[in-house]
Amino acid sequence: MGNERLRAAMAAGGWTYASLAAKAEVDPKSVERWVNLGRTPRRETAMRAAEVIGEDVFALWPALRQARAARAVSPELVALYDQRADLPISAFVDLFAQARERIDVLVYAAVFLHEAYPRLNDLLRERAAEGCTIRIAIGDADSPNVEQRGQEERFGHGIQSRCRIALMHYRPLAGTPGIELRTHETTLYNSIYRADDQMLVNAHVWGVNAYGAPVWHLRRRDGGIFDRYAESFDAVWKTATPAQGGR
C-alpha cells in the first residue's frame, strides 16, 4: 500500500523522486519505495525529508509516532523516547488537557510549547478554571546557570533570549486564579512536565540541546520514581522567585 499523503505533498511542492532524494540524502529508489510501497524511512531521514517538503513528519509517517516500548524495568515507566523531538506536540497538550488537580512545569524556556501550540495559555486558563493548581517555573535569564547551559550547548546567548521569550509568553497568565509563575536560578538537570499522576521528564545531556535528549513518560506509584521528580520540583519551587507582574 502506497503513502498517498506523501505522494500528494510531493506533487503539491513539485518534488520528484530524484529531487527529494537529493535533499534527504538517499537514493531515488528509496523515495520511490516510500511513495509506492509505503515504506517508512529511518527517523533521522524522515525528519529531514519532512522538513524539506514542509509537512509534519508524523502526518507523513504515523508509524514514527509510536514510542519505543520500554521493557519492564519499572512499573512507573510508560514509555521511553529517544529524544524530545520524537514527541508530537499533542503529547504535551493531551497531558495538560487531562489534568484535573495539578499541572507543574519546570524548564529553562521550552518555547516550543507556545510556538507549536499557540492556545497553550488558553488551555492553562481553562484547566485553572476547573480547579487545577498550576505552577510554572522558567529559567532566570540572568542566572549564571542559564548562561553556563548556553555555553555547554554551544547556543551562546540564545538560551538566555529564549528564557525571556518564555517569560513573555507566560506573562499574560499573571493574576489568573490558580496559576503561579516563578523564575529559578538552579541547574536544570531535567525538564519536568507534570499533570496529576502523569509526567514527562526530559533528561538533559551535557552539550546536547533539550530537543535531542531522551524523554521518559512516568505514571505515579507511591514512593517511586515519579515522587522523586515531584519532590525535586517542589525543592526548586521553594527557591524560585515570583515573576515580575506575577502572583
Side-chain angles (χ1 to χ4, degrees):
M1 183 177 179
N3 188 330
E4 296 306 319
R5 178 67 179 262
L6 176 58
R7 190 192 308 276
M10 288 179 61
W15 294 96
T16 65
Y17 297 149
S19 62
L20 180 57
K23 291 290 187 179
E25 302 176 14
V26 296
D27 187 272
K29 289 188 179 297
S30 295
V31 178
E32 183 178 359
R33 286 191 286 269
W34 300 347
V35 175
N36 295 325
L37 301 180
R39 299 282 177 81
T40 299
R42 294 178 56 188
R43 189 178 301 272
E44 294 80 4
T45 302
M47 294 179 71
R48 188 162 53 242
E51 182 178 2
V52 167
I53 297 173
E55 283 281 336
D56 180 80
V57 66
F58 300 111
L60 293 176
W61 293 286
L64 293 176
R65 191 185 296 271
Q66 301 301 317
R68 183 166 296 177
R71 303 183 72 87
V73 176
S74 167
E76 293 185 274
L77 188 57
V78 177
L80 174 64
Y81 299 84
D82 288 348
Q83 53 187 358
R84 195 192 71 200
D86 293 342
L87 278 77
I89 190 62
S90 59
F92 296 89
V93 174
D94 292 347
L95 185 79
F96 296 149
Q98 294 168 17
R100 294 296 178 267
E101 298 179 358
R102 176 179 300 281
I103 292 175
D104 288 335
V105 176
L106 172 63
V107 296
Y108 269 166
V111 294
F112 74 93
L113 291 173
H114 280 95
E115 291 172 348
Y117 189 70
R119 277 200 74 254
L120 180 63
N121 283 2
D122 292 333
L123 173 60
L124 295 176
R125 288 190 188 98
E126 291 165 6
R127 300 318 317 134
E130 292 294 325
C132 266
T133 297
I134 300 174
R135 300 182 295 176
I136 301 168
I138 60 178
D140 183 338
D142 297 321
S143 165
N145 286 318
V146 170
E147 181 180 1
Q148 181 68 25
R149 176 60 60 82
Q151 295 173 3
E152 293 168 355
E153 295 181 1
R154 301 177 183 85
F155 205 31
H157 294 288
I159 191 167
Q160 293 158 282
S161 298
R162 291 174 81 80
C163 287
R164 294 187 174 96
I165 292 171
L167 184 59
M168 177 192 71
H169 281 312
Y170 285 113
R171 197 180 294 282
L173 296 174
T176 303
I179 300 179
E180 187 170 1
L181 174 63
R182 296 185 182 183
T183 58
H184 69 96
E185 300 183 5
T186 63
T187 300
L188 190 67
Y189 296 106
N190 304 279
S191 292
I192 296 174
Y193 309 86
R194 175 188 180 177
D196 294 341
D197 287 343
Q198 294 197 69
M199 181 185 291
L200 295 172
V201 179
N202 188 187
H204 297 305
V205 178
W206 194 94
V208 177
N209 192 281
Y211 67 77
V215 172
W216 37 87
H217 180 181
L218 302 175
R219 183 172 288 117
R220 183 176 183 270
R221 293 200 176 191
D222 289 343
I225 303 173
F226 183 103
D227 285 348
R228 205 165 304 150
Y229 282 111
E231 291 165 3
S232 174
F233 179 96
D234 289 339
V236 172
W237 187 254
K238 289 178 181 177
T239 72
T241 303
Q244 185 178 1
R247 296 177 60 244

